Amino acid sequence: MQPGSSRWGRRARARARVGCGWQFDTRTRIMSPPASQKPKLHIARSDRSTPLLPVAAAALVAAGDTATAVPNERIYGELIQSLRVQFIFVDQMAEADIIFCAHDISEHSAAAHDVARAAKACGKSAFFHSESDNERPTRSVHGVVYRSSTRATWRRPHEQVATGCVPDLTLERSKPMSDWVAWDESPALGFMGHVTHGFRSLAYLRKGWANFYGFRLREQALRAFEGSPLVKTSFTRRSMNLGPPMAGTSGSDLRAAMRQEYVDSVFNNSYSLCIRGAGNWSYRFFEALSAGRIPVLLDTDCALPLEGSVQWDRHVCRIPLKQIKESAAILNRFHRSLGPEG
């Protein structure tokens, strides 16, 4: 192993941290700082009646709040353990190094801004999160807003792009599968999800233009790929919207089976087609990355996390919306540029 390799670097940093008092938690497999270096975290609520963000509920459970139910143990269990290792929870905002608002700033703006004012009165700023599919910019706030559904050209200085809270697909495989797909001259592209077209798609106008536009756009993209010999496609159109990935991990046997089919389809292909739905972002993008597959993103003015630091176009195939009819040719060129060595 060469000193310049990333794995060597990670190990070197881990050893350096242990030398500085960091500890490796064998149960959570997380490096834990010494107590004197752990930041103090406060989960701020405006009142007890305003609904909590699932991630905030997980944080409250990690803090020992027995009155708060775990939102989904399978999805948030690892987060709860990580929070317990990484932070010291405090009850008073004035004592905190980090303040996180417990309410969705898009859905419960008034409550979130109450938290922002309270943090400002303590001479601090707060962190906020939006799980809403609404693409519109959030109101300016004393702090930072993390969100997934937005437009790159609309994003305001106080807004940062967050990943979706998605499970690790490698833990959901129904059977042992290879982590890699063998090289082929033609890229293998998969998609399994909710698609609508024709007169039936007009029903989505009742839910708003975003729903109609997003699910209709998926059909246009699928047809663009299916009409070309440059790409091997494995597409399954569903008339039922499974919703967020959390929906497939619990509930009815039908949903669980649909979720399993989806997970297996991701691993069976080198590329995963990622197109917006009701919101201008895609769960599939982050699920594909967790599975070691390459996202093919139809770019509808999408904003990705850490755009200034991560050179996304080196790692994903991004197709401009205006070039949707050329999708197959763009993917084929991207695939050949990688070559058999990836």
Side-chain angles (χ1 to χ4, degrees), residues 22-156:
W22 287 57
Q23 295 181 340
F24 181 71
D25 189 297
T26 56
R27 186 166 57 90
T28 62
R29 301 187 65 81
I30 296 171
M31 291 297 296
S32 172
S36 61
Q37 296 181 25
K38 288 184 179 181
K40 297 176 181 178
L41 174 62
H42 175 71
I43 307 301
R45 304 174 70 165
S46 172
D47 55 70
R48 292 281 172 176
S49 61
T50 304
L52 298 172
L53 284 161
V55 67
L60 288 170
V61 171
D65 186 344
T66 57
T68 302
V70 179
N72 186 315
E73 181 65 35
R74 185 169 178 179
I75 301 300
Y76 294 99
E78 185 176 346
L79 173 62
I80 292 171
Q81 293 181 19
S82 176
L83 290 171
R84 286 171 176 163
V85 170
Q86 297 281 353
F87 296 96
I88 295 174
F89 292 91
V90 294
D91 295 329
Q92 301 301 317
M93 188 178 288
E95 301 174 7
D97 300 310
I98 300 172
I99 300 169
F100 182 76
C101 178
H103 314 298
D104 189 313
I105 193 170
S106 293
E107 300 297 326
H108 307 287
S109 178
H113 281 269
D114 285 344
V115 170
R117 284 189 288 270
K120 187 176 182 179
C122 294
K124 303 173 184 288
S125 58
F127 292 93
F128 302 85
H129 185 65
S130 171
E131 289 195 335
S132 172
D133 283 330
N134 193 331
E135 304 165 16
R136 296 288 177 182
T138 55
R139 286 169 48 196
S140 295
V141 67
H142 188 68
V144 179
V145 175
Y146 287 90
R147 59 184 308 187
S148 300
S149 180
T150 184
R151 294 194 183 187
T153 54
W154 287 1
R155 190 160 63 90
R156 292 182 174 176

Side-chain angles (χ1 to χ4, degrees), residues 188-196 214-223 225-226 231-241 258 261-277 281-285 287 294 296 298:
L189 177 65
F191 175 87
M192 180 178 291
H194 190 201
V195 177
T196 185
F215 293 115
R216 184 77 179 268
L217 190 62
R218 292 181 178 183
E219 177 63 25
Q220 295 177 28
L222 296 182
R223 291 184 180 183
F225 281 109
E226 289 173 330
V231 176
K232 293 181 179 179
T233 59
S234 176
F235 296 160
T236 300
R237 294 167 171 83
R238 284 175 168 164
S239 58
M240 177 182 178
N241 185 12
M258 291 172 66
E261 289 175 0
Y262 165 72
V263 170
D264 291 344
S265 76
V266 173
F267 282 100
N268 288 334
N269 296 280
S270 303
Y271 295 88
S272 183
L273 184 57
C274 307
I275 310 173
R276 63 162 294 164
W281 73 295
S282 172
Y283 273 110
R284 288 175 177 80
F285 184 90
E287 289 177 315
I294 302 176
V296 177
L298 182 61

